Amino acid sequence: MPDAHLHIAGRWRHAADAGTRDVVNPATGSVFTRVDEATPADATAAIASARATFDDGAWPGTPVTERAALLRRIADLLVLNKAEMARIETLDTGKTVAESEIDMDDVESVLRYYAALIETESDRVVDVGVPGVISRVVREPIGVCVMIAPWNYPLLQISWKIAPALAAGCTMVAKPSEVTPLSTIAFVELCSRAGVPPGVLNLVQGAGSTLGDALTDTDDVDFISFTGGLATGRIISEVAARHVTKVAVELGGKNPHIVFPDADWESSVDQVLTGVFLHSGQVCSSGTRLIVHASIADDFVDALVAGAEQIVMGDGLDPASKTGPLVSAAQLAKMEEFVESAKAEGAVLRTGGGRPDRDGLDPAGYYFAPTIFDHCDATMRIVRDETFGPILTVERFDTEEQALALGNDTDYGLAAGVRTSDAALGERMVRGLRHGTVWLNDFGYYTPAAEWGGFGKSGNGRELGPTGLAEYQETKHIWHNTAPAPSRWFTSTEDGVQ
Ligand code: TXE
């Protein structure tokens, strides 16, 4: 890790006012390091660096093969440093090292995916039917990009932005969450070592509330890619609209997991549990809403309660831990508040609901037990709002139509799961569900080659896949007349106008 944490114009710097922020280990609640906290002036300097580097033209004009090779060198360096990067991610987020290692593998995959994709891109030739005219549509980098990322998958989420932006030839300013800055700092250092030119990838640290305007309320930015909460997404979209800046926002979800009575029992119990309790539920695609057929609901919920109570919770650095604490005291307080509101609304608490009663957990860590509320309905706040924690709600249905209606009864639309052994029923459901990703007899998986993003208030734009690259590009139509001749529109001899 560098000893200064802002990266502007190729140099590591401290904040203009020398300010810093404490970084807390969620497993212990204690401060273990500090990072520089940028001022708005630092953020403006970072934007200026990205703007000047883009406008200079050297980086956007770099041959595609060189940009692809650079992405692969970053991936190679990440692999070499995987253990340390995973440890940093765990210290910062609380997630288990096994999860952090999977995150690093996924970051590697996205880098290699966009390296390969950019090499296969070609111009589109358009036959305009005019002799001598060569017409083609080319893609060019969109320009200066601002990337604002959340704390649940700090490096993974920002890599979904940095990898396609580098592939496309953009310059950028990245801002990780102030809660989890460390892995992005370490990653930007790897990028520099791999040869990312100065000014291409700038980095600032700090709270969105202080840096947000400097990063978004400007004409110097061409694209803002944001992943985070709905309230922040709204603010950023409004600010960007004033500048007609393109925006893509991923704003989480309230994701249904629908279980029909003919679903495979063992995998359904297993995946409903992992779907909601992995990473203590701090996953935008977490399957927090179980929608289960009434005929199996009681037995199914009993099996889930038994499974939830066996989940080994602990410090993410302990290899025995299967899930870690919540990321912050604020998230813990939010879960406690959700539990109270669910009880007040009449949901039945079956397990969890507070701090886990287990030996060995640091009392100052932000642990919250896997929690299941039965007998919920879609009017309850616990069912409508994104909790972003380990809370499963249970709703029951009798007919296919009811299941579909419940699955779509959400303001969000990021992800959904359906479980049935009837292929025709499954296909009807996956086509009927208004969500950006739908799993049939699986849950939670993704690939860098397929688009990720949401319907409804889960946001707009897509990450990953070819669309995730296109977000960082402009298209340009080039009309080249190889045999120019006058059109004589205004000089026609027939009109006698010579
Ligand atoms: O998010 P914020 P928070 C959801 C989840 C969570 C809630 C709030 O429900 O409980 O959002 O989390 C930056 N201009 N998700 O408060 O504030 C901020 O610094 C520019 C879903 O942590 O949206 C951070 O880098 N930037 C989600 C990023 O926005 C601003 C993942 C996200 O923080 C800003 C995380 C501003 N005005 C939370 N204000 C998902 N989609 O996966 C804040 N930021």
Side-chain angles (χ1 to χ4, degrees):
M1 287 274 279
D3 58 10
H5 308 121
L6 316 183
H7 192 66
I8 301 172
R11 282 186 43 233
W12 288 101
R13 302 188 192 179
H14 298 293
D17 66 355
T20 61
R21 174 183 288 266
D22 292 343
V23 183
V24 173
N25 178 351
T28 61
S30 56
V31 175
F32 67 99
T33 189
R34 279 202 176 89
V35 298
D36 296 309
E37 173 96 345
T39 63
D42 293 316
T44 300
I47 302 269
S49 156
R51 183 78 266 164
T53 308
F54 187 81
D55 292 347
D56 164 77
W59 168 248
T62 305
V64 156
T65 46
E66 281 184 35
R67 293 206 300 267
L70 179 58
L71 283 166
R72 293 191 178 103
R73 282 200 301 277
I74 300 169
D76 292 343
L77 275 177
L78 181 65
V79 172
L80 283 175
N81 291 276
K82 178 175 157 179
E84 178 57 9
M85 295 291 288
R87 197 183 71 87
I88 289 173
E89 199 72 306
T90 289
L91 278 171
D92 220 353
T93 60
K95 67 174 71 181
T96 63
V97 168
E99 287 177 79
S100 295
E101 285 175 349
I102 293 170
D103 286 4
M104 297 309 137
D105 291 343
D106 287 1
V107 175
E108 181 201 351
S109 298
V110 81
L111 290 162
R112 296 200 194 283
Y113 171 72
Y114 281 116
L117 187 68
I118 197 73
E119 285 182 324
T120 63
E121 284 219 311
S122 55
D123 301 347
R124 182 160 52 94
V125 175
V126 180
D127 184 351
V128 294
V130 180
V133 170
I134 302 168
S135 159
R136 63 197 195 278
V137 176
V138 301
R139 296 175 199 199
E140 297 188 349
I142 195 167
V144 173
C145 306
V146 161
M147 301 156 170
I148 300 174
W151 41 258
N152 56 333
Y153 287 87
L155 189 57
L156 181 66
Q157 297 275 8
I158 217 155
S159 76
W160 291 9
K161 306 177 193 302
I162 292 175
L166 288 175
C170 295
T171 61
M172 62 212 85
V173 178
K175 193 199 86 60
S177 168
E178 61 274 31
V179 183
T180 54
L182 299 182
S183 58
T184 309
I185 297 170
F187 182 73
V188 169
E189 192 184 36
L190 293 184
C191 290
S192 296
R193 276 168 52 199
V196 173
V200 170
L201 171 51
N202 302 276
L203 173 69
V204 292
Q205 313 293 340
S209 52
T210 50
L211 301 183
D213 281 353
L215 292 173
T216 59
D217 198 357
T218 164
D219 282 327
D220 282 335
V221 169
D222 300 295
F223 178 48
I224 302 167
S225 177
F226 168 78
T227 306
L230 177 56
T232 313
R234 269 204 186 101
I235 294 171
I236 289 175
S237 301
E238 284 169 11
V239 173
R242 294 208 286 271
H243 298 272
V244 199
T245 306
K246 180 179 165 187
V247 185
V249 291
E250 204 265 75
L251 308 175
K254 190 70 192 175
N255 312 292
H257 201 162
I258 301 171
V259 181
F260 283 89
D262 62 352
D264 175 71
W265 185 270
E266 203 183 344
S267 63
S268 296
V269 171
D270 177 88
Q271 291 204 344
V272 169
L273 287 169
T274 48
V276 64
F277 295 133
L278 197 75
H279 191 17
S280 283
Q282 301 167 114
V283 183
C284 52
S285 54
S286 166
T288 49
R289 274 181 81 192
L290 171 65
I291 298 172
V292 59
H293 194 268
S295 65
I296 59 166
D298 288 345
D299 291 345
F300 197 75
V301 174
D302 285 348
L304 293 176
V305 169
E309 289 174 353
Q310 280 170 16
I311 293 173
V312 179
M313 183 167 266
D315 188 328
L317 291 174
D318 179 350
S321 303
K322 292 291 182 191
T323 187
L326 295 170
V327 74
S328 64
Q331 276 309 104
L332 184 61
K334 200 171 148 189
M335 290 317 114
E336 287 163 351
E337 204 253 310
F338 266 117
V339 166
E340 290 317 308
S341 94
K343 285 181 185 165
E345 285 179 297
V348 178
L349 180 65
R350 287 291 313 271
T351 187
R355 220 191 126 71
D357 181 20
R358 281 206 187 98
D359 294 338
L361 293 184
D362 190 318
Y366 309 133
Y367 294 100
F368 194 84
T371 296
I372 299 178
F373 276 107
D374 200 353
H375 300 288
C376 298
D377 69 63
T379 64
M380 294 177 176
R381 185 173 159 245
I382 192 81
V383 176
R384 300 218 71 83
D385 289 3
E386 185 180 48
T387 50
F388 230 62
I391 301 180
L392 180 73
T393 61
V394 183
E395 296 157 79
R396 290 163 161 73
F397 70 90
D398 290 309
T399 66
E400 176 185 336
E401 291 71 28
Q402 284 172 350
L404 185 59
L406 283 172
N408 284 334
D409 187 4
T410 170
D411 297 333
Y412 291 98
L414 186 64
V418 178
R419 316 196 74 87
T420 174
S421 53
D422 178 340
L425 167 63
E427 280 299 319
R428 287 196 299 278
M429 289 294 296
V430 298
R431 293 311 301 258
L433 283 162
R434 303 266 308 153
H435 295 259
T437 296
V438 185
W439 294 283
L440 181 51
N441 295 325
D442 235 331
F443 201 90
Y445 295 100
Y446 81 99
T447 161
E451 278 72 4
W452 181 265
F455 290 32
K457 292 197 170 37
S458 288
N460 54 52
R462 289 290 181 274
E463 299 197 283
L464 304 180
T467 316
L469 176 61
E471 297 276 20
Y472 292 88
Q473 296 170 316
E474 293 277 19
T475 51
K476 179 186 283 176
H477 178 205
I478 299 174
W479 176 292
H480 177 186
N481 194 337
T482 60
S487 70
R488 302 206 187 285
W489 182 275
F490 291 119
T491 57
S492 162
T493 49
E494 284 154 34
D495 296 343
V497 187
Q498 235 350 322

